[in-house]
Amino acid sequence: PSPPLAAGAHAVLAPMPGKILAVNVAQGDAAAAGAVLLVLEAMKMENDILAPADGKVTVVKVQTGDTVNTGDLMVVLE
């Protein structure tokens, strides 16, 4: 199980199974709402995974080439 998130933190979960094609952020980066955090390939389509809110990236759980399942934690913003 994932550790509980800090109050006000935003977990970015995989919306569908797929493969990570690009990771555009690193731990400590600032991300604006709507910024592309990751690119996820699913069903031969590239899906931009966007920041749900402004915040600082505190956790990056995936790297390029990883396979994720629906609901997997990928990034945490605080």
Side-chain angles (χ1 to χ4, degrees):
S2 297
L5 297 176
H10 296 275
V12 179
L13 306 178
M16 63 195 84
K19 183 177 178 180
I20 303 297
L21 294 183
V23 178
N24 297 337
V25 293
Q27 190 170 340
D29 287 355
V36 178
L37 302 176
L38 309 160
V39 179
L40 175 67
E41 180 185 46
M43 298 178 290
K44 300 193 189 293
M45 291 179 54
E46 292 185 12
N47 301 278
D48 291 340
I49 306 301
L50 307 178
D54 292 346
K56 182 175 146 191
V57 177
T58 56
V59 176
V60 178
K61 299 277 284 182
V62 294
Q63 56 190 355
T64 301
D66 284 357
T67 300
V68 295
N69 291 308
T70 303
D72 284 356
L73 178 65
M74 299 189 297
V75 175
V76 176
L77 295 175
E78 288 186 14

